[in-house]
Amino acid sequence: MRELLKKHRKDIIIISIFLVIAIASLSLTLMTRENGEKVRVTVDGELVGEYPLHLDATYELRGANPDTEGEVTNILVIQDGVAYLSYANCPDKTCVNTGKIKYTGQSIICLPNRITITVVGDSDGGVDLVS
Amino acid sequence: MKNTKKLATLSVIVALAMVLSFLESRIPAFVAIPGIKVGLANIAVIFTVYKLGAREGVLISIIRVLLVSILFGSTVSLWYSLAGAILSLIVTILLKKYTKLAVVTVSVAGGVSHNIAQIGVACLLLETNIIVYYLPFLLLSGTVAGIAVGVASALLIKRVKLEGSR
């Protein structure tokens, strides 16, 4: 066992560094997050709307997918302070499976329709989380 | 290895990689974050790089991504997967060639770089940096998954004998 440790000392150190960085950045993210005020919706990089999280509603989104021009591509639901997508017309459904978001910085992404939905705070855009 | 034999061996590995990809797509996401997955198909790629060589590894990886995207994905997911596959492949090949690190470590580095490449492409495609928020989650999942994939690959590399392989 000791020989094995000695032989793979470098490997153990490298993997530990990966784990430490991952766990440290993860705990930092989890500790600094707070409930968001609204969601910001962009299509193809452009802002199309901001919807408050405290208002229960359903919004039809039209993504920028050349195959389904002008159709409703995704349906955004806001309910009890959380936002989620209830429908997507793409095959992979990653955005629907992303589930519910409510903390600033969290987002739902639909790559095929080029839609992003991000939770932001009251004043700022939650940008200081990533900048 | 003779050409016909090599062709047959590579075909079997591609088929295996695709089965692993399919299996993985059947596993329900246990965390609600896109991009978190085990990367089972990487077992086939690492195995090939170590057993047959770098060129064969590139071949297997790219053919797998193309086939899986055609069968189960969309055009967008093709770019996304291709970026991840290529960066992780480059890291795997370079580490194998220039260091004496264990397969598990190479696999971890490959897994993490795969996730970073995918986040990078997603940022470029969507012209946004919001996804960077998820980087810590992907770092952790990439490391843990990389360890699992690395252990499986190391066992296979040790136990499976291919005629004429290294």
Side-chain angles (χ1 to χ4, degrees):
Chain A
M1 190 65 195
R2 188 174 289 172
E3 242 171 64
L4 201 73
L5 282 180
K6 209 171 174 184
K7 196 179 152 205
H8 292 297
R9 208 165 56 103
K10 261 192 196 159
D11 298 286
I12 293 167
I13 293 172
I14 292 176
I15 293 181
S16 310
I17 291 174
F18 271 115
L19 279 177
V20 167
I21 293 177
I23 291 172
S25 55
L26 192 61
S27 1
L28 199 71
T29 311
L30 292 182
M31 280 188 312
T32 54
R33 72 181 183 180
E34 48 193 42
N35 284 349
E37 291 293 327
K38 55 193 178 187
V39 289
R40 180 173 287 170
V41 180
T42 72
V43 172
D44 214 359
E46 279 177 36
L47 185 70
V48 295
E50 288 188 335
Y51 310 113
L53 275 173
H54 55 82
L55 210 70
D56 289 2
T58 304
Y59 305 95
E60 292 182 338
L61 306 178
R62 288 165 209 278
N65 189 338
D67 301 336
T68 54
E69 188 91 53
E71 287 175 37
V72 172
T73 54
N74 304 66
I75 293 176
L76 168 68
V77 179
I78 294 178
Q79 200 174 34
D80 304 326
V82 299
Y84 63 93
L85 288 179
S86 63
Y87 165 81
N89 67 351
C90 58
D92 45 321
K93 302 269 185 286
T94 307
C95 54
V96 175
N97 292 331
T98 302
K100 296 170 177 171
I101 56 172
K102 66 171 181 174
Y103 297 110
T104 52
Q106 280 188 313
S107 54
I108 300 176
I109 289 136
C110 178
L111 271 179
N113 299 327
R114 302 174 64 84
I115 292 176
T116 74
I117 295 150
T118 322
V119 181
V120 294
D122 205 7
S123 50
D124 68 328
V127 182
D128 44 8
L129 255 179
V130 289
S131 58
Chain B
M1 222 189 302
K2 275 184 198 149
N3 267 338
T4 329
K5 207 162 230 173
K6 190 169 182 174
L7 183 67
T9 313
L10 289 178
S11 314
V12 169
I13 297 177
V14 167
L16 218 77
M18 288 188 62
V19 170
L20 290 173
S21 300
F22 177 70
L23 266 182
E24 182 153 317
S25 72
R26 298 281 98 189
I27 302 174
F30 51 94
V31 203
I33 295 165
I36 288 197
K37 49 184 182 180
V38 194
L40 287 177
N42 211 23
I43 296 175
V45 175
I46 294 177
F47 175 80
T48 313
V49 169
Y50 274 81
K51 277 285 188 187
L52 297 167
R55 208 179 305 160
E56 287 76 2
V58 174
L59 209 64
I60 296 282
S61 182
I62 290 178
I63 293 177
R64 177 193 75 84
V65 170
L66 287 179
L67 289 176
V68 169
S69 288
I70 290 168
L71 287 176
F72 316 118
S74 55
T75 7
V76 195
S77 65
L78 171 68
W79 297 117
Y80 198 58
S81 319
L82 210 54
I86 289 175
L87 187 67
S88 111
L89 201 58
I90 291 172
V91 169
T92 306
I93 291 171
L94 289 182
L95 286 181
K96 191 217 159 211
K97 193 163 182 192
Y98 295 110
T99 69
K100 287 199 174 85
L101 293 174
V103 179
V104 178
T105 317
V106 174
S107 161
V108 167
V112 170
S113 53
H114 181 270
N115 287 345
I116 291 175
Q118 289 205 327
I119 287 215
V121 169
C123 284
L124 280 180
L125 284 177
L126 296 163
E127 295 159 39
T128 166
N129 60 355
I130 53 176
I131 316 156
V132 177
Y133 173 84
Y134 289 109
L135 196 56
F137 296 88
L138 290 176
L139 270 180
L140 187 62
S141 76
T143 308
V144 175
I147 293 173
V149 165
V151 169
S153 311
L155 284 176
L156 279 175
I157 292 165
K158 208 171 142 192
R159 306 261 163 106
V160 177
K161 297 259 186 302
L162 292 178
E163 198 185 323
S165 68
R166 293 169 204 175

